[in-house]
Amino acid sequence: MKTKRLGILLTTLVLMTYSAAAHAEWNFGIGTGPQMLNISGDIGMDTALGPATLDVDLDPDDMADLTETAFGLGGYATDGKWMIQASAGKLQLEEDGARGTRTGGTLSAEIEFDITGAELTVGYPIYENDAFILRPYTGLRYLRHEFDATITGTGFAGGNRSKSIDESWTDVLIGLSADVPFAEKWNWNIRADAGFGG
């Protein structure tokens, strides 16, 4: 309920900003680009042999090998001061493998992990010079994680297990970005934010 109220408040802020600057010259852009990603953490599930925990530490090369599908799209609107940004994307990872057990059987696994996300932010510069622009921003980020794992065992009874997780949440974002121009129509952007609520 709180997230819905914050979403309504943010939408109202965006509309008020757009309305107040209706006579200003707005510029728009849309695009996509490469992304590097790493994942670090633990995956655990119950099997017929007891709980199984796997440490995961995947660098960008590993992620490229596991990626089945990946796409994203982003866009912005600015009047030179206010910056409205939106993006959406989907990443699908797949892996399967097998290994022997101490009892002479085999244990094989098929894992699929889908991440879907969308984001909307509004920012305003607090410091500008020829070298860079600092812009705090706020907004909403939606995430959905879908995880499906099937473990099949041979050489013992009841060796098949499956687990599915489908969770989604929305966070309110607070962050800071820095734009560094390096040509007439090009700049480099770096940003950091924290999400709360979901």
Side-chain angles (χ1 to χ4, degrees):
M1 196 65 167
K2 291 180 182 178
T3 304
K4 289 181 181 178
R5 289 181 189 156
L6 289 169
I8 293 170
L9 180 64
L10 180 64
T11 303
T12 303
L13 174 64
V14 171
L15 293 175
M16 288 173 50
T17 301
Y18 184 77
S19 176
H23 300 293
E25 182 180 343
W26 283 81
N27 296 305
F28 305 90
I30 191 168
T32 189
Q35 174 176 303
M36 293 176 62
L37 178 68
N38 69 295
I39 290 180
S40 180
D42 299 321
I43 295 176
M45 68 181 294
D46 291 328
T47 70
L49 300 175
T53 303
L54 176 66
D55 293 329
V56 178
D57 190 3
L58 303 172
D59 63 26
D61 288 337
D62 296 327
M63 292 298 297
D65 292 339
L66 298 175
T67 299
E68 184 71 18
T69 305
F71 65 90
L73 190 64
Y76 74 91
T78 182
D79 66 350
K81 291 289 185 181
W82 288 101
M83 174 77 76
I84 301 171
Q85 293 181 296
S87 63
K90 185 173 181 68
L91 175 65
Q92 182 180 19
L93 307 175
E94 289 186 7
E95 178 65 307
D96 54 43
R99 67 174 21 169
T101 66
R102 293 181 193 161
T103 60
T106 60
L107 196 60
S108 61
E110 295 180 8
I111 298 173
E112 293 183 10
F113 185 35
D114 294 351
I115 303 169
T116 305
E119 193 173 288
L120 174 67
T121 62
V122 178
Y124 191 84
I126 57 170
Y127 180 80
E128 298 180 65
N129 65 25
D130 293 338
F132 66 94
I133 301 169
L134 286 179
R135 179 181 288 113
Y137 61 90
T138 186
L140 296 175
R141 176 186 292 138
Y142 167 81
L143 282 172
R144 180 178 182 185
H145 286 181
E146 297 173 84
F147 177 82
D148 290 297
T150 302
I151 294 180
T152 304
T154 61
F156 54 89
N160 298 338
R161 292 288 186 272
S162 63
K163 184 169 183 84
S164 294
I165 299 171
D166 188 347
E167 296 288 342
S168 62
W169 65 95
T170 303
D171 283 330
V172 175
L173 300 180
I174 299 173
L176 181 67
S177 71
D179 291 326
V180 181
F182 60 87
E184 183 179 348
K185 294 186 177 182
W186 293 88
N187 71 27
W188 178 58
N189 175 267
I190 186 168
R191 49 184 273 182
D193 56 48
F196 305 93

